[in-house]
Coordinates of all heavy atoms in Angstrom, one line a residue:
V4 N 6.4 -35.4 189.1 CA 7.2 -34.8 188.1 C 6.6 -35.0 186.7 O 6.5 -34.0 185.9 CB 8.6 -35.5 188.1 CG1 9.4 -35.1 186.9 CG2 9.4 -35.0 189.4
Y8 N 5.3 -31.8 184.4 CA 5.8 -31.5 183.0 C 4.6 -31.5 182.0 O 4.5 -30.7 181.2 CB 6.9 -32.5 182.6 CG 8.2 -31.9 183.0 CD1 8.7 -32.2 184.2 CD2 9.0 -31.1 182.1 CE1 10.0 -31.6 184.6 CE2 10.2 -30.6 182.5 CZ 10.7 -30.9 183.7 OH 11.9 -30.3 184.1
Y16 N 8.6 -25.1 178.0 CA 10.0 -25.5 178.4 C 11.0 -24.7 177.5 O 12.0 -24.1 178.0 CB 10.2 -27.0 178.3 CG 11.5 -27.4 178.8 CD1 11.7 -27.5 180.2 CD2 12.6 -27.6 178.0 CE1 13.0 -27.8 180.7 CE2 13.9 -27.9 178.5 CZ 14.0 -28.0 179.9 OH 15.3 -28.3 180.4
H20 N 13.8 -21.3 178.5 CA 15.2 -21.3 178.3 C 15.7 -20.3 177.2 O 16.7 -20.5 176.6 CB 15.7 -22.8 177.9 CG 15.6 -23.7 179.1 ND1 16.7 -23.8 180.0 CD2 14.6 -24.5 179.6 CE1 16.3 -24.7 180.9 NE2 15.1 -25.1 180.7
D49 N 20.8 -40.1 176.0 CA 20.4 -38.8 176.6 C 19.3 -39.1 177.6 O 18.2 -39.4 177.2 CB 20.0 -37.9 175.5 CG 19.7 -36.4 176.0 OD1 19.8 -36.3 177.3 OD2 19.4 -35.6 175.2
L50 N 19.6 -39.1 178.9 CA 18.6 -39.4 179.9 C 17.9 -38.1 180.3 O 18.5 -37.1 180.8 CB 19.4 -39.9 181.2 CG 20.1 -41.3 181.0 CD1 21.0 -41.5 182.1 CD2 19.1 -42.4 180.8
G51 N 16.6 -38.1 180.1 CA 15.8 -36.9 180.4 C 16.0 -35.9 179.2 O 16.4 -34.8 179.5
A52 N 15.8 -36.4 178.0 CA 16.3 -35.6 176.8 C 15.4 -34.3 176.6 O 15.9 -33.4 176.0 CB 16.2 -36.5 175.6
G53 N 14.2 -34.3 177.1 CA 13.4 -33.1 176.9 C 13.2 -32.9 175.4 O 12.9 -33.8 174.6
F56 N 17.8 -30.5 173.6 CA 18.9 -29.5 173.7 C 20.3 -30.1 173.7 O 21.2 -29.5 173.3 CB 18.7 -28.6 175.0 CG 17.6 -27.6 174.9 CD1 17.1 -27.0 176.1 CD2 17.1 -27.2 173.7 CE1 16.1 -26.0 176.0 CE2 16.1 -26.3 173.6 CZ 15.6 -25.7 174.8
Q57 N 20.4 -31.4 174.2 CA 21.7 -32.1 174.1 C 21.7 -33.1 172.9 O 22.6 -33.2 172.2 CB 22.0 -32.9 175.4 CG 22.3 -32.0 176.6 CD 21.1 -31.4 177.3 OE1 20.1 -32.0 177.4 NE2 21.2 -30.1 177.7
I71 N 15.8 -40.7 175.9 CA 14.7 -41.2 176.8 C 14.1 -40.0 177.6 O 14.8 -39.2 178.1 CB 15.3 -42.2 177.8 CG1 15.9 -43.4 177.0 CG2 14.2 -42.7 178.7 CD1 16.3 -44.6 177.9
D72 N 12.8 -40.0 177.6 CA 12.1 -39.0 178.4 C 10.7 -39.5 178.7 O 10.1 -40.3 178.0 CB 12.0 -37.6 177.7 CG 11.8 -36.5 178.7 OD1 10.7 -36.4 179.2 OD2 12.8 -35.8 179.0
L73 N 10.1 -39.1 179.9 CA 8.8 -39.5 180.2 C 7.7 -38.7 179.4 O 6.6 -39.2 179.3 CB 8.5 -39.1 181.7 CG 9.1 -40.0 182.8 CD1 8.8 -39.4 184.1 CD2 8.4 -41.4 182.7
N74 N 8.1 -37.5 179.0 CA 7.1 -36.6 178.5 C 6.9 -36.6 177.0 O 7.8 -36.3 176.2 CB 7.5 -35.1 178.9 CG 6.4 -34.2 178.6 OD1 6.2 -33.6 177.5 ND2 5.5 -34.0 179.6
L77 N 7.3 -33.1 174.9 CA 8.7 -32.7 174.7 C 9.4 -33.6 173.7 O 10.1 -33.2 172.8 CB 9.5 -32.7 176.0 CG 9.2 -31.5 176.9 CD1 9.8 -31.7 178.3 CD2 9.6 -30.2 176.4
D95 N 9.9 -43.4 178.3 CA 10.0 -44.3 179.4 C 10.6 -43.6 180.6 O 11.2 -42.5 180.4 CB 10.8 -45.5 179.0 CG 10.5 -46.7 180.0 OD1 9.8 -46.6 181.0 OD2 11.1 -47.8 179.7
D96 N 10.6 -44.2 181.7 CA 11.4 -43.8 182.9 C 12.8 -44.0 182.6 O 13.2 -45.1 182.2 CB 10.9 -44.5 184.1 CG 11.4 -43.9 185.4 OD1 12.6 -43.6 185.5 OD2 10.6 -43.7 186.3
L97 N 13.6 -43.0 182.9 CA 15.1 -43.2 182.6 C 15.7 -44.2 183.4 O 16.7 -44.8 183.0 CB 15.8 -41.8 182.7 CG 15.8 -41.1 184.1 CD1 17.0 -41.6 184.9 CD2 16.0 -39.6 183.9
L98 N 15.1 -44.6 184.5 CA 15.7 -45.6 185.4 C 15.6 -47.0 184.7 O 16.3 -48.0 185.0 CB 15.0 -45.7 186.7 CG 15.3 -44.5 187.7 CD1 14.3 -44.6 188.9 CD2 16.7 -44.6 188.1
M114 N 21.3 -34.0 181.8 CA 21.6 -32.6 182.1 C 20.5 -31.7 182.5 O 19.3 -32.1 182.3 CB 22.3 -32.0 180.8 CG 23.7 -32.8 180.6 SD 24.7 -32.3 179.3 CE 25.2 -30.7 179.8
T115 N 20.8 -30.6 183.0 CA 19.9 -29.5 183.5 C 18.9 -30.0 184.5 O 17.7 -30.0 184.3 CB 19.1 -28.9 182.3 OG1 20.0 -28.8 181.1 CG2 18.6 -27.5 182.6
D116 N 19.5 -30.5 185.6 CA 18.6 -30.9 186.8 C 17.9 -32.2 186.7 O 17.1 -32.5 187.6 CB 17.6 -29.8 187.1 CG 18.2 -28.7 188.0 OD1 19.4 -28.8 188.3 OD2 17.4 -27.8 188.4
T117 N 18.0 -32.9 185.5 CA 17.2 -34.1 185.4 C 17.4 -35.1 186.6 O 16.5 -35.7 187.1 CB 17.5 -34.8 184.1 OG1 17.2 -33.9 183.0 CG2 16.7 -36.1 183.9
H120 N 15.3 -34.7 189.5 CA 13.8 -35.1 189.4 C 13.6 -36.5 189.9 O 12.4 -36.9 190.0 CB 13.4 -35.0 187.9 CG 13.4 -33.6 187.3 ND1 14.5 -32.8 187.3 CD2 12.4 -32.9 186.7 CE1 14.2 -31.7 186.7 NE2 12.9 -31.7 186.4
L121 N 14.6 -37.3 190.2 CA 14.4 -38.6 190.7 C 13.9 -38.5 192.1 O 14.0 -37.5 192.8 CB 15.7 -39.4 190.7 CG 16.2 -39.7 189.2 CD1 17.5 -40.5 189.3 CD2 15.2 -40.5 188.4
Ligands
SAM1 C1 15.0 -30.1 183.4 S1 14.5 -31.1 182.0 C2 16.0 -31.3 181.2 C3 15.8 -31.6 179.7 C4 17.1 -31.5 178.8 N1 18.0 -32.5 179.3 C5 17.6 -30.1 178.9 O1 18.8 -30.0 179.3 O2 16.9 -29.2 178.5 C6 14.2 -32.6 182.8 C7 13.6 -33.6 181.8 O3 13.7 -34.9 182.4 C8 12.4 -35.6 182.2 N2 12.3 -36.5 183.3 C9 12.2 -36.3 184.6 N3 12.1 -37.4 185.3 C10 12.3 -38.4 184.4 C11 12.3 -39.8 184.5 N4 12.2 -40.4 185.7 N5 12.4 -40.5 183.4 C12 12.5 -39.9 182.2 N6 12.5 -38.6 182.1 C13 12.4 -37.9 183.2 C14 11.4 -34.5 182.1 O4 10.2 -34.9 181.4 C15 12.2 -33.4 181.4 O5 12.1 -33.5 180.0

Side-chain angles (χ1 to χ4, degrees):
V4 166
Y8 271 86
Y16 188 81
H20 288 273
D49 187 355
L50 296 168
F56 285 163
Q57 290 80 38
I71 301 190
D72 203 285
L73 282 174
N74 189 272
L77 288 168
D95 198 359
D96 193 310
L97 61 86
L98 290 169
M114 296 182 69
T115 324
D116 276 1
T117 300
H120 294 55
L121 295 179

